[in-house]
Amino acid sequence: MKPRMKWALAGLVIALLVAGTLRTLLARRAAQAAVEAQQAAQKSQVSIVLTTSDLVQVKPIELQQTVVISGAIKAVNTALVKARVPGELQNLTVREGDTVRAGQVLARIDPAESDARLRQARQQAAAAKAQVATAQRNFDNNKALVAQGFISSTALLTSQASLDAALSSTALVTSQASLDAAQATYEAAQSGVDLAAKALEDTVLRAPISGQISQRLAQPGERVPVDTRILEIVDNRQLELEASLNAADSLNVKVGQSAQLTLDGSTRVIQAKVVRINPSASVGSRAVLVYLALAPEANLRHGLFAQGSLTVGVTKTLALPLSAVRTDKPQPYVQMIKENQVLHVNVTPGLRGDLAGATMVAVTGLPEGSVVIDGSVGSLRAGTLVKTAAGTQ
């Protein structure tokens, strides 16, 4: 290779090395300038302005301990009217929603069969009574004959051989046994009369309680067997909620505690009070049934579903609105303001309760008096500068 070409090739290599070095230096300067520009932008960024309603202060409050409850509303007094004797259903005129009073006749079962059985029982009782009278006359006559000596005890025994088995060796005792047997037969027949009379009385169906008809389960003209359900009566004047609680929640529940309930689809608050606690847990679920009496309300009905909270105690603790505790990270945290900046501080939520209609939660991990951003503001990046309309915090 000629010397001139060697020098030209060496010059080209040197030029390429110089160009690469310059390019690297320029890239470093551009990156440094970008970092400096970002830092300058952060220093000059505009603070987020918050109103005082966007901030809450961590302070000790008396937090009501509550237990969430739900269940069906039931009438304390309900009754099923059933057929006590078989027969054709007659004179059933009441329908759902009709008001009835205790003792009111609601329907009848055809009494023809029961009436015939009562007449039969009475006739059998009359025949038994006649046998008693005959046995009494025979006993009196034989007793008189024995007393006067007209017949011996042996003759008396022979004359009464048709009577029941002798209880002693004398005919007079045998006659007495026959009389007792006749009287027992009469009493049994009289009991049959009483049963037949009761069956006839049972053909009349009466309301056992006052209330309203909630179900009509049979129609006039049907032939119903014994224990057929005819009507259901509900008394809505006294209602209670049957709530099922787990074992842990039930430990703090006591008779007399108050609760606030709402119906599905309604915002009206209904007051209730614990009146009974089931002494046994349900088999399988181990739940404990608690019964709460409801305050008289005009529009409540048996079978409605209600839910709410039961107050079981009061505790003084540091607390925040539940909405201020954020859960979009692995650990719950709050957005605390310190030196005009947002800090993300992990907290441990505890007891929950209601205060002035808001759900509060006890927290640990924050000093008393800390200012926290409410959950309605949304998520802010840690380090964000903030101001309030009333001044910086």
Side-chain angles (χ1 to χ4, degrees):
M1 181 179 293
K2 295 180 179 181
R4 184 178 297 178
M5 294 185 63
K6 292 181 178 179
W7 284 107
L9 183 60
L12 179 62
V13 171
I14 293 172
L16 291 174
L17 290 174
V18 171
T21 302
L22 290 176
R23 186 178 303 164
T24 301
L25 292 175
L26 290 175
R28 288 180 179 177
R29 288 182 181 180
Q32 184 177 1
V35 171
E36 291 176 353
Q38 183 177 4
Q39 291 177 349
Q42 289 178 352
K43 292 181 180 179
S44 62
Q45 67 180 350
V46 179
S47 300
I48 295 177
V49 178
L50 301 175
T51 63
T52 54
S53 61
D54 296 328
L55 305 175
V56 292
Q57 191 175 34
V58 181
K59 57 184 179 180
I61 62 172
E62 289 188 349
L63 193 63
Q64 291 185 341
Q65 302 177 40
T66 60
V67 174
V68 176
I69 57 174
S70 62
I73 295 176
K74 296 184 178 181
V76 175
N77 296 319
T78 62
L80 281 172
V81 180
K82 297 183 179 181
R84 297 182 179 178
V85 294
E88 181 182 332
L89 185 62
Q90 299 176 343
N91 302 331
L92 178 60
T93 59
V94 293
R95 304 191 68 86
E96 290 84 353
D98 289 344
T99 300
V100 297
R101 64 183 185 278
Q104 177 180 338
V105 176
L106 305 177
R108 298 178 185 273
I109 304 294
D110 185 4
E113 185 175 345
S114 298
D115 187 50
R117 289 181 178 176
L118 177 59
R119 291 197 305 271
Q120 181 185 31
R122 286 174 175 170
Q123 291 169 357
Q124 291 174 346
K129 187 175 182 180
Q131 293 176 358
V132 170
T134 301
Q136 184 67 53
R137 285 194 301 270
N138 290 337
F139 174 77
D140 293 341
N141 292 336
N142 292 333
K143 184 178 180 181
L145 292 174
V146 169
Q148 296 175 12
F150 290 114
I151 62 175
S152 65
S153 298
T154 303
L156 181 60
L157 179 60
T158 303
S159 64
Q160 297 298 322
S162 60
L163 299 177
D164 293 338
L167 297 178
S168 76
S169 59
T170 64
L172 188 59
V173 174
T174 303
S175 182
Q176 177 67 58
S178 178
L179 176 59
D180 292 343
Q183 289 176 338
T185 301
Y186 170 68
E187 291 174 358
Q190 190 61 46
S191 297
V193 173
D194 295 339
L195 289 174
K198 179 63 169 57
L200 181 61
E201 182 181 352
D202 287 343
T203 60
V204 180
L205 303 181
R206 301 179 184 274
I209 63 172
S210 297
Q212 292 180 300
I213 304 298
S214 64
Q215 291 188 81
R216 191 169 95 161
L217 305 168
Q219 301 300 327
E222 290 186 32
R223 182 168 180 84
V224 294
V226 177
D227 283 339
T228 298
R229 302 198 307 171
I230 308 298
L231 297 166
E232 182 181 22
I233 303 174
V234 173
D235 184 2
N236 282 327
R237 293 175 297 178
Q238 188 177 0
L239 299 171
E240 64 182 19
L241 175 76
E242 183 182 271
S244 178
L245 301 181
N246 60 46
D249 290 340
S250 67
L251 295 177
N252 297 323
V253 178
K254 297 179 177 60
V255 173
Q257 292 173 341
S258 300
Q260 293 76 42
L261 308 173
T262 57
L263 299 176
D264 282 349
S266 174
T267 58
R268 185 181 61 175
V269 177
I270 303 167
Q271 301 298 323
K273 183 176 291 186
V274 178
V275 291
R276 302 193 315 280
I277 301 174
N278 198 307
S280 302
S282 301
V283 178
S285 65
R286 303 303 178 189
V288 177
L289 293 179
V290 177
Y291 305 90
L292 296 90
L294 305 183
E297 296 287 345
N299 296 326
L300 293 183
R301 295 287 184 269
H302 171 82
L304 293 177
F305 187 84
Q307 56 189 355
S309 59
L310 172 64
T311 302
V312 296
V314 178
T315 301
K316 191 170 185 179
T317 181
L318 295 177
L320 285 172
L322 181 61
S323 59
V325 180
R326 305 191 63 83
T327 57
D328 52 350
K329 288 185 177 181
Q331 177 151 355
Y333 71 96
V334 297
Q335 300 180 126
M336 186 177 74
I337 297 178
K338 187 176 182 180
E339 298 179 354
N340 301 333
Q341 289 187 347
V342 176
L343 299 180
H344 290 182
V345 180
N346 293 336
V347 295
T348 303
L351 179 69
R352 296 186 184 184
D354 293 331
L355 180 67
T359 301
M360 308 292 289
V361 58
V363 292
T364 55
L366 289 175
E368 182 178 347
S370 301
V371 177
V372 174
I373 300 176
D374 189 64
S376 59
V377 176
S379 178
L380 298 179
R381 181 177 54 82
T384 302
L385 298 178
V386 295
K387 291 183 179 181
T388 66
T392 59
Q393 298 291 326

